[in-house]
């Protein structure tokens, strides 16, 4: 699939943000400023000011908004949620070369960290949906996982958030079939 950096990477920010809370387990993977800094760094979101506990709280609140985006199957509701996020943060794509190469920023500088994440993720998801359809946003099919993902496969066949969940599920199914066959043979 021919996803662009601004569709797959930006949309991945939204899915990864949702996954900073283990929805089945309740594990918090964004507990503090240091974790937020790592998340931003991992997603190439530059921050020019020191992060604060307020930033952590704002990003956690944003996370629940993107949780709704991934967990609704209603296409109109999903678009309304994304459009509301973009409106609230004043998303206005702008071309910039501040680091020596031309690229797009989705909110004017300086913007709060949560607003920047919101605009990046929402623009990425909007781009994926408009170019490839709502079916590209998914939730893991593993029984013990509810992580969000963006399906970048050619044939929209992705069912799991990761190879780990896929392997674990397939191994469990294989063992169950084998156990059933062994019991029938006895």
């Amino acid at each position: 699939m021919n996803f662009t950096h601004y569709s797959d990477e930006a949309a991945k920010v939204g899915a990864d943000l949702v996954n900073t809370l283990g929805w089945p387990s309740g594990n918090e993977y964004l507990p503090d400023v240091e974790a937020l800094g790592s998340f931003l760094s991992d997603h190439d979101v530059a921050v020019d000011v020191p992060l604060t506990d307020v930033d952590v709280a704002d990003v956690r609140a944003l996370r629940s908004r993107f949780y709704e985006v991934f967990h609704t199957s209603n296409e109109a509701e999903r678009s309304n949620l994304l459009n509301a996020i973009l409106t609230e943060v004043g998303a206005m794509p702008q071309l910039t070369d501040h680091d020596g190469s031309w690229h797009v920023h989705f909110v004017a500088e300086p913007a709060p960290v949560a607003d920047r994440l919101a605009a990046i993720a929402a623009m990425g998801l909007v781009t994926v949906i408009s170019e490839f359809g709502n079916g590209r946003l998914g939730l893991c099919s593993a029984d013990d996982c509810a992580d969000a993902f963006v399906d970048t496969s050619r044939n929209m066949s992705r069912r799991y958030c990761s190879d780990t969940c896929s392997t674990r599920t397939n191994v469990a199914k294989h063992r169950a079939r084998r156990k059933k066959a062994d019991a029938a043979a006895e």
Side-chain angles (χ1 to χ4, degrees):
M1 190 54 40
N2 263 344
F3 285 84
T4 66
H5 174 76
Y6 283 107
S7 61
D8 67 343
E9 291 302 318
K12 189 175 182 309
V13 171
D16 289 350
L17 180 60
V18 170
N19 299 338
T20 62
L21 181 66
W23 295 99
S25 67
N27 291 338
E28 177 62 69
Y29 301 112
L30 200 60
D32 54 29
V33 170
E34 184 179 332
L36 176 58
S38 293
F39 180 87
L40 295 171
S41 177
D42 290 347
H43 292 86
D44 295 324
V45 178
V47 179
D48 301 333
V49 296
L51 296 171
T52 67
D53 290 335
V54 172
D55 293 320
V56 174
D58 290 348
V59 170
R60 284 182 182 169
L62 176 63
R63 172 179 62 199
S64 65
R65 305 275 309 276
F66 280 96
Y67 175 91
E68 292 178 52
V69 169
F70 276 89
H71 281 79
T72 184
S73 58
N74 182 299
E75 292 179 5
E77 182 179 348
R78 181 175 282 150
S79 71
N80 289 338
L81 290 166
L82 289 168
N83 287 335
I85 291 168
L86 291 169
T87 299
E88 289 166 20
V89 300
M92 187 171 64
Q94 299 176 6
L95 192 59
T96 180
D97 72 341
H98 70 86
D99 65 356
S101 66
W102 290 103
H103 58 278
V104 178
H105 279 195
F106 297 118
V107 292
E109 297 292 328
V113 171
D115 288 0
R116 290 168 66 190
L117 276 176
I120 291 166
M123 286 297 296
L125 292 170
V126 164
T127 302
V128 166
I129 291 168
S130 66
E131 292 183 17
F132 305 104
N134 270 282
R136 293 292 178 168
L137 276 58
L139 298 171
C140 188
S141 294
D143 290 338
D144 59 346
C145 184
D147 278 358
F149 64 85
V150 177
D151 184 352
T152 57
S153 67
R154 288 184 186 265
N155 60 359
M156 286 184 36
S157 61
R158 187 168 173 188
R159 294 182 22 229
Y160 300 99
C161 66
S162 66
D163 289 341
T164 301
C165 278
S166 175
T167 300
R168 188 177 63 245
T169 301
N170 289 326
V171 167
K173 286 179 183 178
H174 172 74
R175 288 180 179 158
R177 284 190 306 269
R178 188 169 179 182
K179 184 176 180 179
K180 185 176 178 180
D182 289 348
E186 289 178 357

